[in-house]
């Protein structure tokens, strides 16, 4: 899992109409979870081409896009430059392999990214360490889907199991809900998306 080479190869063609539509739904779902967002910093981790985070530029004091794919990061940088936004930046880091000590944020968004990461406990621990005290991790991903069979991704997550995992790792509170159902959106299977809010 990780699929970095794959994402490098598709970065320039990634922004299809369906992905743009779902990203808008995700960003609209995130907004009600933000508390004094314009005073807060956010990391969009596993940002891809920035489809979700770019919709939230005006909702935060600053936003840092992070992805393990250098080509995806280049796409985000081009969008930031085009937008003339001075409170956004993008860097290429894989937090599974390295976590800079000076990396901190009030919110971390992980949208349709966790399913690509094999080391779930490790990445959640790293994200916990990056969050400021009282900060929030917002995970958006697919509900468990037995119709999806792949060696490249997890076939979704049971929400209660993921809540148990984030609490075990050290988050103090966590809650989740399913917010979207779509046709053929997960490995060509019908699927649903959930949002999980975990507080440090």
């Amino acid at each position: 899992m990780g699929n970095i080479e794959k994402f490098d190869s598709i970065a320039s063609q990634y922004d299809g109409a369906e992905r743009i539509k779902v990203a808008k739904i995700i960003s609209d779902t995130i907004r009600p979870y933000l508390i004094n967002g314009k005073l807060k910093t956010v990391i969009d981790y596993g940002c891809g081409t920035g489809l979700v985070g770019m919709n939230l530029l005006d909702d935060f004091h600053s936003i840092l896009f992070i992805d393990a794919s250098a080509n995806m990061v280049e796409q985000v940088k081009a969008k930031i430059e085009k937008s003339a936004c001075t409170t956004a930046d993008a860097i290429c880091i894989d937090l599974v392999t390295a976590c800079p000590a000076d990396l901190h944020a009030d919110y971390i968004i992980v949208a349709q990214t966790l399913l690509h990461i094999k080391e779930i406990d490790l990445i959640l621990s790293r994200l916990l360490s990056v969050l400021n005290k009282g900060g929030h991790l917002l995970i958006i991903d697919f509900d468990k889907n037995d119709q999806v069979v792949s060696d490249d991704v997890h076939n979704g997550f049971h929400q209660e199991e993921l809540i148990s995992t984030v609490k075990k790792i050290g988050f103090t509170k966590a809650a989740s809900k399913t917010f979207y159902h779509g046709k053929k959106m997960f490995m060509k299977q019908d699927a649903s998306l959930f949002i999980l809010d975990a507080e440090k």
Side-chain angles (χ1 to χ4, degrees):
M1 293 185 190
N3 308 317
I4 296 170
E5 291 182 359
K6 175 187 174 184
F7 284 112
D8 274 337
S9 68
I10 65 173
S12 61
Q13 296 90 35
Y14 189 78
D15 290 0
E18 183 65 19
R19 285 197 174 106
I20 291 170
K21 182 188 87 170
V22 172
K24 175 73 163 53
I25 292 167
I26 291 172
S27 56
D28 287 346
T29 301
I30 287 171
R31 281 195 184 91
Y33 287 83
L34 308 181
I35 303 167
N36 295 323
K38 290 183 182 295
L39 303 176
K40 304 293 177 64
T41 58
V42 63
I43 289 171
D44 183 352
Y45 183 67
C47 63
T49 61
L51 285 175
V52 172
M54 290 299 294
N55 289 328
L56 299 169
L57 290 181
D58 295 332
D59 294 277
F60 290 100
H61 178 265
S62 66
I63 183 167
L64 178 63
F65 294 88
I66 299 179
D67 202 279
S69 163
N71 290 354
M72 288 289 191
V73 170
E74 287 306 311
Q75 295 291 318
V76 181
K77 286 183 175 179
K79 291 180 181 180
I80 293 171
E81 184 176 355
K82 185 176 180 180
S83 74
C85 178
T86 60
T87 58
D89 199 1
I91 56 175
C92 183
I93 301 175
D94 184 352
L95 291 183
V96 172
T97 59
C99 187
D102 61 348
L103 190 64
H104 298 290
D106 300 308
Y107 282 88
I108 301 175
I109 297 167
V110 183
Q112 293 177 294
T113 297
L114 207 60
L115 77 160
H116 296 285
I117 299 174
K118 184 177 182 180
E119 305 89 344
I120 297 293
D121 286 20
L122 173 60
I123 193 64
L124 291 174
S125 296
R126 293 269 168 88
L127 295 172
L128 177 65
S129 71
V130 169
L131 272 177
N132 294 326
K133 184 174 176 56
H136 289 259
L137 171 65
L138 298 174
I139 298 171
I140 298 91
D141 224 310
F142 291 107
D143 286 303
K144 194 75 169 179
N145 191 330
D146 292 333
Q147 300 303 310
V148 173
V149 180
S150 172
D151 293 329
D152 295 329
V153 296
H154 298 284
N155 64 342
F157 301 93
H158 290 297
Q159 294 178 41
E160 289 304 319
E161 289 181 6
L162 193 54
I163 287 172
S164 177
T165 298
V166 298
K167 286 183 175 179
K168 177 186 70 177
I169 284 166
F171 286 90
T172 60
K173 303 175 187 175
S176 66
K177 68 175 183 179
T178 298
F179 68 91
Y180 182 71
H181 298 265
K183 296 288 188 182
K184 300 187 183 303
M185 66 181 299
F186 185 16
M187 305 290 283
K188 298 183 179 179
Q189 300 295 327
D190 295 354
S192 58
L193 285 168
F194 68 86
I195 183 167
L196 187 154
D197 177 14
E199 183 176 349
K200 182 173 180 177

